Amino acid sequence: MAVRLPRPRRFDAGVALAGLLGGLLLWGIGLGTRPADEPIVLFDGRWPLLAPLALMAGCELLRSAAPRTALLTAVAALALDTVTQGSLVTVLMFTDVMYAAVLYGTAATARRIPWITALLSVAATVVPFAVWRVPEALLIGVAVGIVAFAPAATGLIVRSHREAAESARLRAEQTALLAEMDRVQAVTAERARMARELHDMVANHLSAIAIHSTAALSLDDPATTRRALGVIRQNSVEGLAEMRRLIGILRDAGGAAEPAASPTLDGLGALVDGARANGLDVTFEARHGAVPAPVELAAYRIVQESLTNALKHAVPGPVRVTLTSGGGLLNVTVTSPYGDRGTPLVPGSGAGLVGMRERVALLGGTFEAGPEASADGMIWAVRAALPLTEGDLS
């Protein structure tokens, strides 16, 4: 079965053609490297020079496609050229094949060839001098070093620089990829934060508007309708104000508006009063000390969303809001009656519970929400434990 050699590259074909034409030019003018009467010359004359020249040009065709095969063949071609009068172009092409074998060969080949050629150069220097005891014998080692070791060492240096450049390029691509992933995560987290803020700020007012507009449409009582329209107008104005505040935060490039727009626990009284105005029977109790700003915002939004859910879904009955601190935690509890309301409900997507759970998770706290049995019957309880120490805020 015939062995198929790889297709030579265009640059290698150009190098081979240039070497062959240069060798033929020197052959045509009869220029060799050794006289015919030297003992090493076994085949004198002009015609024996063509065989190693053509073979070496063929090796140049495979210099990058099959560097190991090219080098082994080139060694044989150089040995054949040595027993003729020799061609300078054949020797020059051998140095290029040696260089290419280190540059394009495998990593193991690139490590071994410089060591082998270095040992051959040393041996070619020491052995002839030890045998003949003449200074001219040292030139053999110099010639071997120039023809074999120098191109191999050059190829190793160039290969090392290329590998270093490739490693730097890969690191740069990895860094860019990680930076893009961080950017996407930051944008996603910011969008989630904005969605929570928008939901918590506006949902309460829109829920009150929906409930009271339903009441105004279903009851044929002018006084009730007037009160419902008043509540609707109040919640519309407050909702628009909250929306303007949020838009102002988003437009503020420096983020200076964020502290002024962030609610605190001091505003829970007004929040509870608003819930009472919307028809909820709310009892509020707060016993806590100093609270970090992130915890204040999370606790406020949890109470706000819990009251909104009670307004939309709870049956008539008392709603209790309790804030207590102890054991390094701020405990927020909101309970409301749970059961069949018997009246049309305001549609809800469950985004409020998701937002509350996310807020608590960002602070490293715990969150529970669901129906519970109590002395007064079934209730819906929202319980959150938020760490107060800075070390726990992650």
Side-chain angles (χ1 to χ4, degrees):
M1 182 177 179
V3 178
R4 293 191 61 183
L5 294 176
R7 184 177 181 180
R9 299 177 183 176
R10 181 176 298 180
F11 177 79
D12 297 343
V15 172
L17 180 61
L20 181 61
L21 293 178
L24 291 176
L25 177 62
L26 295 183
W27 177 82
I29 62 179
L31 186 61
T33 59
R34 287 180 295 277
D37 57 355
E38 280 195 3
I40 196 174
V41 178
L42 303 180
F43 306 98
D44 58 353
R46 298 177 56 196
W47 292 103
L49 298 176
L50 295 179
L53 176 65
L55 187 58
M56 194 67 75
C59 294
E60 287 281 39
L61 288 173
L62 304 176
R63 62 190 294 275
S64 59
R68 181 181 297 181
T69 302
L71 179 60
L72 293 176
T73 308
V75 171
L78 183 65
L80 180 60
D81 181 76
T82 304
V83 297
T84 66
Q85 287 187 255
S87 172
L88 180 61
V89 175
T90 301
V91 177
L92 290 177
M93 284 194 291
F94 176 81
T95 61
D96 180 67
V97 172
M98 178 68 72
Y99 165 81
V102 177
L103 182 61
Y104 300 113
T106 62
T109 301
R111 290 193 303 267
R112 292 169 184 167
I113 289 179
W115 284 103
I116 294 173
T117 55
L119 292 175
L120 289 176
S121 300
V122 173
T125 303
V126 174
V127 173
F129 181 76
V131 173
W132 294 321
R133 297 289 181 175
V134 293
E136 289 78 4
L138 298 174
L139 296 177
I140 299 177
V142 174
V144 173
I146 293 175
V147 173
F149 175 70
T154 304
L156 182 61
I157 293 172
V158 174
R159 183 187 181 108
S160 299
H161 282 292
R162 286 188 177 182
E163 290 177 349
E166 180 66 14
S167 298
R169 184 186 66 82
L170 291 176
R171 285 196 299 270
E173 290 182 355
Q174 291 175 353
T175 302
L177 180 61
L178 291 175
E180 177 64 16
M181 292 174 62
D182 290 341
R183 186 192 69 81
V184 172
Q185 290 177 356
V187 170
T188 303
E190 182 63 18
R191 291 179 64 180
R193 187 185 73 86
M194 291 168 56
R196 287 194 302 268
E197 291 297 320
L198 181 60
H199 178 275
D200 293 344
M201 291 171 64
V202 179
N204 182 47
H205 301 295
L206 292 182
S207 299
I209 291 173
I211 290 173
H212 286 84
S213 60
T214 301
L217 291 172
S218 60
L219 298 177
D220 189 13
D221 183 359
T224 303
T225 301
R226 185 175 183 82
R227 285 196 301 271
L229 291 176
V231 174
I232 290 173
R233 182 184 183 282
Q234 179 184 357
N235 281 277
S236 300
V237 172
E238 292 177 357
L240 288 174
E242 294 280 1
M243 184 68 73
R244 291 193 189 99
R245 257 202 321 265
L246 180 59
I247 293 174
I249 294 173
L250 297 178
R251 286 179 174 174
D252 182 17
E258 176 69 20
S262 298
T264 64
L265 296 183
D266 294 336
L268 286 179
L271 182 65
V272 169
D273 291 340
R276 289 169 180 159
N278 288 329
L280 289 179
D281 179 13
V282 185
T283 301
F284 175 57
E285 181 181 0
R287 301 188 306 275
H288 57 81
V291 177
V295 177
E296 278 196 288
L297 176 60
Y300 183 94
R301 293 304 187 196
I302 290 171
V303 173
Q304 183 183 45
E305 179 59 25
S306 298
L307 293 177
T308 301
N309 289 340
L311 181 64
K312 292 192 295 183
H313 306 297
V315 298
V319 178
R320 294 183 175 85
V321 178
T322 306
L323 276 76
T324 59
S325 60
L329 297 173
L330 177 66
N331 298 293
V332 181
T333 304
V334 182
T335 61
S336 57
Y338 179 75
D340 186 7
R341 182 168 179 166
T343 57
L345 298 179
V346 177
S349 63
L353 289 176
V354 174
M356 288 189 286
R357 196 178 302 276
E358 289 177 349
R359 288 184 185 277
V360 175
L362 288 174
L363 296 175
T366 59
F367 177 81
E368 295 178 357
E372 297 180 2
S374 69
D376 299 329
M378 294 297 295
I379 61 172
W380 181 273
V382 174
R383 305 182 191 278
L386 307 173
L388 295 173
T389 56
E390 292 293 334
D392 294 335
L393 300 180
S394 56

